[in-house]
Each structure stands twice: as structure tokens, then as C-alpha cells.
Amino acid sequence: MLNQLRLDHANMARMLHVLQLKHKTLAKGERPDFQLMREVVDYILSYMDGFATPLERICVERLKTQAPEHLPLMEQMASDYRELKPRLMRLSQDIDMILMDNILPMDRFADDLKAYLEAHRGYLRHEREGLFPLIDKHFSEEDMEELRQALPEGAEKELERLQLAYPELYAELCGAEVPVL
């Protein structure tokens, strides 16, 4: 189960890397593929709803009893994660505006995208350095099974659907190293 969490973590890092590449395109003054960005943002939003909520609930419940001294870390991580969603929703709305050919200051959009990417990468770093070691140390096999049962099965299938529907995304994901966060 921990390996699956690490794989999901790596897939999210790859998605963020794709958005980072689009940010670089913006920074050069060029127009990125906003439809591709729309798909990546939709994937992340869906993943956040289906993945983060059960992970947070189960981890907080277990760590309350198994390692209460780490509860502040979990609460901070949960707070940080909840702050990501409004940022991503704003980016989503801005992408919709752009796709409808509405005028939007690209420098503001680029700044918002950069800030979101930095915040989400920071969260992934905390997950890798803080949460995963705690899960490894304090979760029993039964806890891991409960976690596995609570997490959505569709994340990997959705990633595959995106790869098939968007060859550019697939090419970028295949070529993307998992960035060191």
C-alpha cells in the first residue's frame, strides 16, 4: 500500500511537471496548450477530492492513537492541502475564461500558476518526508488494508485515459523525470 501511495505521489509530481512546462511556455511569451492544462487541472481536482479526503481521515485517526506527538504535522498538512484547492479552482476558472477567448492578464495567470505549483510541490515534499515515514512506522497491516479500501481505484485509470486522449500529455509524462521536490 505504501508503494501505491508513492506511485500516486510520483504521478502527481509528473502532473505538476506538465503544468510547470506550460508555465515555462507562458514565461517565454508563448501560448501553451490550455486545453491540455484544463485536462491536467481537472484530473488534479478530481484526484484531490477522491484521494486526499480518505487519506487525511484515516491518517489523522491512526496517528491520534499511535503517534499523537505527530498530530500537529498532520493537521498542518491537512490545512495546507485544503488551501491548494481554492488556488486550483481559480486557475481552473481562469483557464475556462481563456478557452472562451475572454481577456485575462497572462502575467497574473502565470504568477498564480507558479504560486500554486510551489505550494503543491511543498505539500508533496511534506508528504514524502513526513507522512510516508509515519505511515511506514505506525500503520499495521490492517490499517494499510483500511487505507487501501478507502482510496479510489480510478486514479490510475483516469491517468491512463488522459494519456490516451492527449498524446502530448502522454509524451510529456513519459519524458518527465519525477522532479525532486
Side-chain angles (χ1 to χ4, degrees):
M1 183 64 227
L2 194 54
N3 286 339
Q4 181 62 45
L5 290 174
R6 287 187 173 114
L7 177 62
D8 290 344
H9 176 95
N11 285 338
M12 183 58 69
R14 286 184 179 99
M15 288 293 179
L16 295 177
H17 183 69
V18 169
L19 289 178
Q20 179 67 44
L21 294 174
K22 300 308 169 201
H23 180 264
K24 286 181 181 180
T25 301
L26 274 171
K28 289 190 268 183
E30 299 171 11
R31 184 178 173 92
D33 182 344
F34 284 105
Q35 187 59 45
L36 176 64
M37 291 178 75
R38 154 94 281 130
E39 288 294 321
V40 171
V41 166
D42 285 349
Y43 169 83
I44 295 171
L45 283 168
S46 173
Y47 189 81
M48 289 174 91
D49 287 340
F51 181 80
T53 303
L55 179 65
E56 175 187 326
R57 179 184 53 79
I58 291 170
C59 289
V60 169
E61 283 175 13
R62 290 301 176 269
L63 292 174
K64 273 183 188 177
T65 58
Q66 300 294 323
E69 67 275 13
H70 295 290
L71 202 53
L73 169 67
M74 287 303 305
E75 290 170 348
Q76 181 61 50
M77 286 183 67
S79 173
D80 292 348
Y81 203 79
R82 282 189 298 270
E83 290 175 16
L84 290 175
K85 190 165 183 179
R87 287 178 178 209
L88 193 57
M89 290 298 295
R90 184 170 66 226
L91 286 171
S92 177
Q93 291 166 355
D94 287 349
I95 291 169
D96 285 344
M97 297 292 286
I98 292 166
L99 289 172
M100 291 187 288
D101 292 327
N102 289 319
I103 304 238
L104 188 77
M106 280 299 125
D107 56 339
R108 191 206 75 189
F109 177 78
D111 290 346
D112 288 349
L113 178 57
K114 182 179 179 182
Y116 164 75
L117 289 168
E118 288 171 358
H120 202 143
R121 283 193 172 122
Y123 176 83
L124 290 180
R125 190 172 34 261
H126 286 129
E127 194 175 61
R128 185 182 68 245
E129 295 170 2
L131 178 61
F132 291 168
L134 289 174
I135 290 173
D136 193 37
K137 182 177 181 180
H138 296 287
F139 275 40
S140 68
E141 286 189 32
E142 294 81 21
D143 294 334
M144 294 303 267
E145 179 58 24
E146 183 180 343
L147 182 58
R148 188 187 68 71
Q149 294 289 332
L151 296 179
E153 294 179 23
E156 196 66 32
K157 289 178 184 158
E158 179 63 11
L159 185 61
E160 289 172 14
R161 185 198 67 78
L162 279 178
Q163 290 172 345
L164 293 173
Y166 294 92
E168 179 186 346
L169 175 60
Y170 179 75
E172 289 188 37
L173 287 174
C174 287
E177 296 290 323
V178 178
V180 177
L181 305 173

